[in-house]
Amino acid sequence: MKISAQEEYGLRCLLQLASLGEDETLTLGDIAKKEGISQANAGKLMWLLNKGGFVKATRGTKGGYSLSRPSKEIYLSEVIKVLDDDEIEGHCESYTGVLDSCVHKGDCGIRPVIIGLHEIVQNALSDITLAQLLGTEKKVDERFHRIHGLKQVSVNIGK
Amino acid sequence: MKISAQEEYGLRCLLQLASLGEDETLTLGDIAKKEGISQANAGKLMWLLNKGGFVKATRGTKGGYSLSRPSKEIYLSEVIKVLDDDEIEGHCESYTGVLDSCVHKGDCGIRPVIIGLHEIVQNALSDITLAQLLGTEKKVDERFHRIHGLKQVSVNIGK
DNA sequence: TCTAATCTTGACATAAAAGTAAGGATTTGA
DNA sequence: TCAAATCCTTACTTTTATGTCAAGATTAGA
């Protein structure tokens, strides 16, 4: 249950765009430099993000990337889905061991855990927009914990 | 943000042991067969789980594996940590791109997200024991959602 | 129209994760 | 004491994810 490299760097690239002013753009070279990755790698990530509809690109001199909509309207849950090519649907068809289908046919105590976990993560991510990640570390951390603090508290009470 | 193969199969093997009666054990061959994986693979997973202190193994004829403590006392958070070799600590040292250290030195809006997400997942997992995963799919699903339903509700209220 | 700057795309190389194999170590029971 | 059954450990192979490269396509501006 780790974040993948593609998720991490893709999100970072997107945040670079989110921090731009109106009408500003960044080229692949800019992004690569700012995130300390190769231009080729940045290119691939931006291509994914473009396909996912988060950024728009213009080619040619004076070209570059910018967000395709305001950072307030881009939720982490969507971004992660695109970057990690996330499909919980096919899970039970892919983890079959050496067999043709999962051995836990019909009734399975693990499936709800896998799916439930996925829900929890998606849920947490769907509360957060790119815009909320722009401040300083301290501010972002506070925001993040304010959002999820509620969950924490209620569980403790519930116990 | 996916569950790894090692996490999935490791957890399943552990559940096989959790479903045993008192004084029963399973050999690698048994476990492999029940989960539809190779014996070699089961061996590796059980070795990890043994190192992690979740199971005890006895060698020789009549040997096999059993849980090292009651399934009520084994939390998913611990199991996952062992199976995925989960270390959020070193995160900022490993995702450095081509550089020696992460470009987001000092102040970083992404770190709290990565760490926060990790917290959320760990938190969800630390509410669940192996014992709670033993029933039928329906029951397990209900249990899972009863635990996390609270979180969901409070967030909606909070909004 | 031409050139330089830029994104796009698919093929390729490299690194990491997953899975396999084989020989060694330990235990039971004859 | 010996043999069979079992776990343990390390090295290797295969598969998957990551990252790179090079040629192509598009645009702005001279």
Side-chain angles (χ1 to χ4, degrees):
Chain A
M1 211 71 201
K2 281 191 191 134
I3 205 161
S4 71
Q6 212 162 235
E7 288 171 301
E8 163 112 24
Y9 290 124
L11 183 54
R12 288 199 206 166
C13 292
L14 207 49
L15 277 175
Q16 290 292 349
L17 293 182
S19 71
L20 294 179
E22 192 73 23
D23 295 329
E24 285 183 299
T25 64
L26 289 177
T27 68
L28 282 182
D30 294 337
I31 295 171
K33 206 169 193 180
K34 278 174 183 287
E35 285 301 334
I37 59 180
S38 73
Q39 182 163 330
N41 198 4
K44 190 184 206 173
L45 293 167
M46 296 312 293
W47 177 72
L48 275 171
L49 291 169
N50 191 5
K51 247 194 359 175
F54 302 112
V55 305
K56 60 186 174 206
T58 45
R59 298 204 251 200
T61 316
K62 299 281 174 187
Y65 292 93
S66 58
L67 293 185
S68 62
R69 50 198 156 112
S71 59
K72 269 185 211 166
E73 297 172 16
I74 298 179
Y75 292 88
L76 291 201
S77 51
E78 308 172 272
V79 177
I80 291 297
K81 207 173 288 177
V82 164
L83 289 172
D84 201 32
D85 162 69
D86 192 358
E87 301 207 12
I88 193 70
E89 309 305 334
H91 186 87
C92 295
E93 280 67 52
S94 44
Y95 284 71
T96 61
V98 297
L99 305 175
D100 288 342
S101 66
C102 179
V103 293
H104 300 276
K105 281 193 210 138
D107 200 42
C108 169
I110 296 177
R111 184 160 35 204
V113 182
I114 305 293
I115 294 182
L117 254 184
H118 188 258
E119 274 173 22
I120 287 173
V121 173
Q122 279 300 111
N123 212 284
L125 290 174
S126 69
D127 286 333
I128 307 171
T129 66
L130 275 196
Q132 293 175 306
L133 299 183
L134 287 180
T136 64
E137 175 159 2
K138 185 150 172 288
K139 280 188 193 162
V140 172
D141 194 47
E142 282 169 7
R143 255 181 227 133
F144 200 92
H145 281 90
R146 197 176 325 128
I147 293 171
H148 295 289
L150 280 167
K151 297 188 179 182
Q152 202 38 53
V153 168
S154 77
V155 165
N156 290 335
I157 294 172
K159 278 181 182 164
Chain B
M1 210 71 201
K2 280 193 192 131
I3 204 161
S4 71
Q6 210 161 240
E7 287 171 302
E8 164 112 23
Y9 290 123
L11 183 54
R12 287 199 206 166
C13 293
L14 207 49
L15 277 175
Q16 290 291 350
L17 294 182
S19 71
L20 294 179
E22 191 73 24
D23 295 328
E24 284 183 299
T25 64
L26 290 177
T27 67
L28 282 181
D30 295 336
I31 295 171
K33 205 169 192 180
K34 279 174 182 287
E35 285 300 333
I37 59 181
S38 72
Q39 183 164 330
N41 198 3
K44 190 184 206 173
L45 293 167
M46 295 312 293
W47 178 71
L48 275 171
L49 291 168
N50 191 6
K51 250 196 351 178
F54 302 112
V55 306
K56 61 185 174 208
T58 46
R59 300 204 249 201
T61 317
K62 300 280 175 185
Y65 292 93
S66 59
L67 293 185
S68 61
R69 50 198 156 112
S71 59
K72 269 185 211 166
E73 297 172 16
I74 298 180
Y75 291 90
L76 291 201
S77 51
E78 309 172 89
V79 177
I80 292 297
K81 208 174 287 176
V82 164
L83 288 171
D84 201 33
D85 163 68
D86 193 358
E87 301 207 11
I88 193 70
E89 309 305 335
H91 186 86
C92 295
E93 279 69 51
S94 42
Y95 284 72
T96 61
V98 295
L99 305 176
D100 287 341
S101 65
C102 177
V103 294
H104 299 277
K105 280 193 211 139
D107 200 43
C108 168
I110 295 176
R111 186 157 35 202
V113 182
I114 305 292
I115 294 181
L117 254 183
H118 188 258
E119 274 173 22
I120 286 173
V121 172
Q122 279 301 114
N123 210 282
L125 291 174
S126 69
D127 286 333
I128 306 170
T129 67
L130 275 195
Q132 293 177 306
L133 299 183
L134 286 179
T136 64
E137 176 161 2
K138 184 152 172 286
K139 280 188 191 161
V140 172
D141 194 47
E142 282 169 8
R143 257 182 226 130
F144 201 92
H145 281 90
R146 197 178 326 128
I147 292 171
H148 295 291
L150 280 167
K151 297 189 180 183
Q152 200 38 51
V153 167
S154 79
V155 166
N156 290 334
I157 294 171
K159 278 183 184 162

